[in-house]
């Protein structure tokens, strides 16, 4: 018999650790290859870790609520075969080439030894590698706050901290350096109330779950960083409704997929972004990063009342049929806790369908580091004035409000308003002969 170390697998770019939620098997249990053995959480995504081998779990190394790093062993299995043939065996120090991933794992694991440390406050947003360098060089938190980061949202990169170490003796006093906008002093949030609230008799105290805490922190941060402005418009989507009613049965028979309104909304938004590419940007300190890809976030309500935003990658390269399939797949996996960490990363613009709750309009919060978000309201039949060659007439039309919130640091009213008007125009002039 041989021992096999079950490692926490890579979960996408930028994801370096995960929290153990629940072990689906216990010590002494036998598992088969591809069985999901543990549920983990990364940011807002819960997912399962399958075992690549069959065997018996002899020791669980990471318990519930403990944090594990990518490449770190979380359990030991007993499997058939010789120990020398076990894929997870660590290669001897003198023969690192024996296992191709040895150097990769070493690079990941060594710097992450200090990742769980509470030495630095959370508002610094330091990567494990930067934390490791700071600890080795005895760099204090006040010094770290004096470093102007060149990374996303002003975060300190490896190059930034190494440059600081090299020129440490010539650095100005920490208090003379202004921190980036993202690191400005934060107001009291849900997790750190300014005053204690006393529950009255009969009140129920419900602790926030992990996801709700993350949402609360992200929303406070988003409102703090970006000055929000919102524009509104009412759109006649009668042609869109007629087109969907004509094609939804055919599409479901042909593809086995539901045809919702969301693919149409995404198509119109993508066209408008192509017209106004400066809406597809992020702010990094005093620089604007113009995104090449158009990745559309899709705000999705979960059965437990929380919210998650899976991302349609390269939405501009998908047909209506492709968008419908991608949207249905992401929505299904979101509601059934089957999203992968990378499914929620990389959005450059987000759509929130508040109409699915019967709401006419909303003023959504811009998810960082994006600079705009569109809220789609409920489609309602109303009498409307139509211009005809014979004069104005009143007819029953399908009308819908849209609200566009944008970051006034880089998106002025003209850009935010014109972007919204183009989405409006694409939907109002939807071609009834569009192929699906």
């Amino acid at each position: 018999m041989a021992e096999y170390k079950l490692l926490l697998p890579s979960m996408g770019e930028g994801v370096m650790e995960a929290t153990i939620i629940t072990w689906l098997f216990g010590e002494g249990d036998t598992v088969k290859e591809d069985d999901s053995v543990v549920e983990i959480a990364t940011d807002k995504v819960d997912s399962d870790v399958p075992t690549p081998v069959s065997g018996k779990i002899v020791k669980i190394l990471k318990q519930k609520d403990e944090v594990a790093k990518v490449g770190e062993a979380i359990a030991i299995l007993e499997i058939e075969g010789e120990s020398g043939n076990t894929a997870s065996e660590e290669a001897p120090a003198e023969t690192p080439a024996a296992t191709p991933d040895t150097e990769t794992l070493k690079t990941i694991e060594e710097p992450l030894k200090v990742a769980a440390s509470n030495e630095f406050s959370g508002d610094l947003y330091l990567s494990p590698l930067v934390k490791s360098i700071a600890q080795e060089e005895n760099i204090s938190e006040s010094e770290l706050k004096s470093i102007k980061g060149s990374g996303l949202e002003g975060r300190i990169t490896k190059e930034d901290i190494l440059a600081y170490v090299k020129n440490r003796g010539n650095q100005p006093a920490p208090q003379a350096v202004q921190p980036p906008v993202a690191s400005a002093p934060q107001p009291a949030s849900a997790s750190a109330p300014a005053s204690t609230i006393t529950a009255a008799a009969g009140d129920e105290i419900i602790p926030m779950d992990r996801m709700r805490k993350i949402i609360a922190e992200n929303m406070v941060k988003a409102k703090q960083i970006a000055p929000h402005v919102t524009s509104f418009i009412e759109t006649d989507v009668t042609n869109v409704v007629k087109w969907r009613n004509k094609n939804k049965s055919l599409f479901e028979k042909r593809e086995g997929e539901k045809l919702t309104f969301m693919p149409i909304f995404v198509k119109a938004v993508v066209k408008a972004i192509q017209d106004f590419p400066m809406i597809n940007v992020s702010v990094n300190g005093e620089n604007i990063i113009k995104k090449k890809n158009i990745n559309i976030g899709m705000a999705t309500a979960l059965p437990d009342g929380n919210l998650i935003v899976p991302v349609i990658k390269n939405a501009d390269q998908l047909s209506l049929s492709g968008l419908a399939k991608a949207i249905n797949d992401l929505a299904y996996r979101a509601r059934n806790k089957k999203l992968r960490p990378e499914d929620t990363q990389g959005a450059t613009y987000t759509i929130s369908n508040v109409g699915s709750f019967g709401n006419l309009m909303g003023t959504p919060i811009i998810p960082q580091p994006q600079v705009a978000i569109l809220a789609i309201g409920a489609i309602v039949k109303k009498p409307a004035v139509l211009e005809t060659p014979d004069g104005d007439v009143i007819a029953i039309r399908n009308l819908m409000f849209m609200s566009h919130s944008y970051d006034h640091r880089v998106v002025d009213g003209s850009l935010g308003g014109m972007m919204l008007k183009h989405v409006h125009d694409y939907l109002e002039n939807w071609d009834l002969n569009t192929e699906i």
Side-chain angles (χ1 to χ4, degrees), residues 166-326:
K166 182 179 179 180
N167 301 297
R168 199 171 185 181
N170 300 321
Q171 296 296 322
Q175 61 269 25
V177 180
Q178 294 296 323
V181 174
S183 297
Q186 296 190 359
S189 66
S191 60
S195 59
T196 302
I197 299 175
T198 304
D203 290 350
E204 182 183 1
I205 299 175
I206 304 172
M208 287 188 182
D209 59 23
R210 179 187 56 82
M211 185 178 288
R212 178 48 53 187
K213 290 178 183 177
I214 293 172
I215 292 172
E217 291 170 2
N218 288 344
M219 293 301 97
V220 170
K221 176 184 173 186
K223 287 291 286 186
Q224 187 178 14
I225 291 173
H228 284 52
V229 176
T230 304
S231 297
F232 300 87
I233 199 166
E234 189 174 28
T235 304
D236 187 335
V237 291
T238 302
N239 281 358
V240 169
V241 173
K242 288 181 178 178
W243 180 87
R244 176 178 174 267
N245 288 339
K246 182 177 74 172
N247 289 281
K248 62 181 181 180
S249 296
L250 174 65
F251 183 77
E252 187 169 3
K253 288 179 182 178
R254 189 185 78 195
E255 304 291 346
E257 300 271 357
K258 296 285 187 182
L259 179 61
T260 66
F261 287 109
M262 187 57 73
I264 304 169
F265 298 151
V266 172
K267 197 72 173 179
V269 166
V270 166
K271 287 183 177 180
I273 290 175
Q274 290 172 329
D275 295 336
F276 300 98
M278 288 307 293
I279 209 80
N280 198 52
V281 303
S282 291
V283 179
N284 180 26
E286 295 181 350
N287 295 322
I288 299 173
I289 301 174
K290 185 178 177 182
K291 302 291 187 177
K292 176 183 177 182
N293 297 329
I294 299 178
N295 300 332
I296 304 297
M298 181 180 69
T300 304
L302 300 177
D304 61 5
N306 286 320
L307 181 75
I308 199 166
V309 185
V311 181
I312 308 163
K313 303 291 177 62
N314 299 308
D316 54 319
Q317 299 177 21
L318 297 176
S319 64
L320 268 174
S321 177
L323 285 172
K325 291 179 180 180

Side-chain angles (χ1 to χ4, degrees), residues 372-386:
I373 181 172
L374 180 73
I376 304 289
I379 298 174
V380 180
K381 287 185 178 181
K382 294 180 183 179
V385 176
L386 297 182

Side-chain angles (χ1 to χ4, degrees), residues 11-28:
M11 296 165 288
E13 183 180 357
V15 181
M16 305 300 291
E17 62 184 26
T19 302
I20 303 298
I21 300 178
T22 305
W23 281 97
L24 305 177
F25 294 88
E27 293 181 357

